[in-house]
Amino acid sequence: MNAMAETPPDGIYRGIPFDEYLGWDAVSNSALSRFARVPAAAWVPLEDSPALAIGRAVHCAALEPNRFPTAYRPKQFHGSTKDGKAEAAAALESGMNLLARAEWDDVSGMADAVRSHPAAAALLADGEAEASLLWTDAETGLRCKARVDWLAPDFAVDLKTTKDSSPSAFAKSIANFRYHVQQAHYRTGLESLGIPNDGFFFIAVDKTAPYPVGCYCITDAAEAVGFRLRQRGLRAWKKCVESGIWPAWRSPSIETLPLPAWAMIEEEKAE
């Protein structure tokens, strides 16, 4: 778990290491998403995983191509060999991230696909990567934070790696992973800090070759749902702060559950 760093005043911060950002004591979109499952989950840190590590590499390669060669390189040796262990130790000491050859190829392929997509290239033509925001929510008084993948002069972009970047599949991902709430959270932060944000766009890229890319914005109605869910979550968060109680239950009472419809149909077919 990341130790809490001293949280600076409200504002936009550039060049902040990700670990330092994680240590800021403020409500993030990811914490709010965990809170929506059960409040106590907000304090369970998101464990790192190979998928998250690859996602960070793709972000670096696609959004910070000048930094990528100094931050990542492919492994030269198998990790279990003497040379591999020495390579890993040297990389750890220098801060270099090592990728297996297949991972390197996928990361490079995804980044190239994003940069060569006409709309994605236009979205990323002017701006800065990984801008960190801190602000105070106007209604609840809670400190909030966000790390914007790409901040252009008057809009923001979020880069997502996904199994399927087709319109229908990514629309489901938006609902399942609460990307519309993330958009609301980020746009609220930008507005609170007086930063122009006339639009919010998603660039979605498949994790497997040939790495198809889709560029999307959501409807006003979908965004409105995101804003309502975000504010509802912050109100509930504030109640937990005030009471000191962060429940791990889904409901405090006994609930009656029916069988899923498919189970009822299977039983009827068996007769």
Side-chain angles (χ1 to χ4, degrees):
M1 185 174 181
N2 294 84
M4 283 294 176
E6 182 177 351
T7 305
D10 290 358
I12 179 170
Y13 294 87
R14 298 170 171 88
I16 299 296
F18 186 55
D19 282 346
E20 182 177 339
Y21 164 80
L22 288 178
W24 289 350
D25 186 12
V27 183
S28 66
N29 172 71
S30 59
L32 202 58
S33 182
R34 296 194 299 275
F35 178 87
R37 183 164 62 89
V38 290
W43 300 109
V44 178
L46 182 63
E47 292 187 7
D48 206 0
S49 68
L52 290 174
I54 293 299
R56 289 194 297 272
V58 173
H59 278 67
C60 185
L63 305 178
E64 301 176 281
N66 293 332
R67 188 174 77 86
F68 183 66
T70 64
Y72 290 88
R73 68 176 176 83
K75 293 179 182 178
Q76 304 299 313
F77 306 100
H78 193 282
S80 63
T81 65
K82 180 180 178 181
D83 288 338
K85 292 177 181 178
E87 180 183 39
L92 182 63
E93 184 175 351
S94 66
M96 176 68 70
N97 297 279
L98 297 177
L99 297 173
R101 174 54 65 178
E103 294 173 334
W104 177 269
D105 291 343
D106 281 336
V107 168
S108 301
M110 282 185 270
D112 289 345
V114 168
R115 285 288 179 178
S116 62
H117 186 281
L123 290 172
L124 302 176
D126 185 19
E128 59 182 312
E130 309 297 349
S132 298
L133 313 178
L134 265 170
W135 73 97
T136 301
D137 181 68
E139 179 185 344
T140 63
L142 294 171
R143 298 294 305 283
C144 296
K145 64 180 179 180
R147 192 170 174 93
V148 184
D149 285 351
W150 188 260
L151 186 59
D154 56 0
F155 60 85
V157 180
D158 199 76
L159 174 60
K160 301 294 188 186
T161 58
T162 181
K163 290 182 179 179
D164 186 348
S165 61
S166 67
S168 59
F170 195 68
K172 292 177 183 177
S173 293
I174 289 173
N176 290 336
F177 299 114
R178 291 166 51 96
Y179 293 159
H180 54 320
V181 181
Q182 177 191 3
Q183 173 171 323
H185 190 69
Y186 284 29
R187 293 198 74 183
T188 298
L190 292 167
E191 182 178 352
S192 297
L193 297 174
I195 301 169
N197 65 113
D198 294 335
F200 194 97
F201 302 93
F202 294 98
I203 300 175
V205 56
D206 280 28
K207 298 177 183 179
T208 54
Y211 317 109
V213 174
C215 294
Y216 305 107
C217 59
I218 63 175
T219 65
D220 291 344
E223 184 179 57
V225 171
F227 275 106
R228 288 196 296 271
L229 288 174
R230 175 189 179 272
Q231 212 58 35
R232 187 183 305 164
L234 286 180
R235 292 187 198 110
W237 186 295
K238 184 178 182 180
K239 288 181 180 179
C240 289
V241 170
E242 293 171 342
S243 68
I245 299 172
W246 299 77
W249 58 69
R250 299 185 184 279
S251 170
S253 59
I254 298 171
E255 298 179 81
T256 301
L257 299 178
L259 283 175
W262 61 262
M264 298 296 291
I265 293 172
E266 283 188 357
E267 190 276 336
E268 292 172 1
K269 288 180 178 178
E271 291 184 352

